[in-house]
Amino acid sequence: MTVEEFKQKINEITGENSILEVYVSPDFQCEQTYAFPTSLCVCWEQGKAWLQPNEFMQAFGEDITRVWQSCADFGFRACADIEMYNALLKQLGEDAYQTAYLSEKLNETDNEEMEMNL
């Protein structure tokens, strides 16, 4: 997949007309993206996850085309729940896992708080 195709698919998920929410992890470094600060993004409703570089960390004039291409090469992965999300982080390396790991208890706590507020 080309970078342009990859960005187009991201825009389809996150675009202005989209009502879908996307979770973006804290940025981390991994070999997949040449240690450039990267986030794992997830659209839980579609069950899709992808990598995206943190462009705010891009130095003025720095070309990160190869980083975007490495994200496109990673592609869109199945990600239906926190367990799958954490497994993807493990595949990306220790820094990714340590930085962006989500506790499954977090999900249970959020659900309990929501029920209590109703």
Side-chain angles (χ1 to χ4, degrees), residues 10 14 22-25 28 39-43 48-53 76-77 79 85 88:
I10 292 172
T14 64
V22 174
Y23 172 76
V24 179
S25 76
F28 53 83
S39 294
L40 182 61
C41 304
V42 180
C43 178
K48 292 181 183 179
W50 64 94
L51 292 175
Q52 193 164 332
F76 292 88
R77 305 288 176 101
C79 188
Y85 169 86
L88 287 171

Side-chain angles (χ1 to χ4, degrees), residues 33-82:
T33 57
Y34 310 102
F36 190 88
T38 303
S39 294
L40 182 61
C41 304
V42 180
C43 178
W44 302 110
E45 293 91 348
Q46 288 192 4
K48 292 181 183 179
W50 64 94
L51 292 175
Q52 193 164 332
N54 180 347
E55 291 183 316
F56 291 111
M57 301 301 289
Q58 181 179 359
F60 181 75
E62 180 181 14
D63 181 10
I64 61 168
T65 303
R66 77 179 193 144
V67 176
W68 271 106
Q69 185 60 58
S70 69
C71 292
D73 293 343
F74 183 82
F76 292 88
R77 305 288 176 101
C79 188
D81 55 32
I82 291 174

Side-chain angles (χ1 to χ4, degrees), residues 81-108:
D81 55 32
I82 291 174
E83 186 177 335
M84 292 176 84
Y85 169 86
N86 287 334
L88 287 171
L89 289 172
K90 272 199 170 182
Q91 290 175 10
L92 292 166
E94 191 62 27
D95 186 56
Y97 186 75
Q98 291 296 323
T99 302
Y101 170 85
L102 288 177
S103 170
E104 293 197 35
K105 290 184 180 182
L106 173 70
N107 196 24
E108 293 170 12

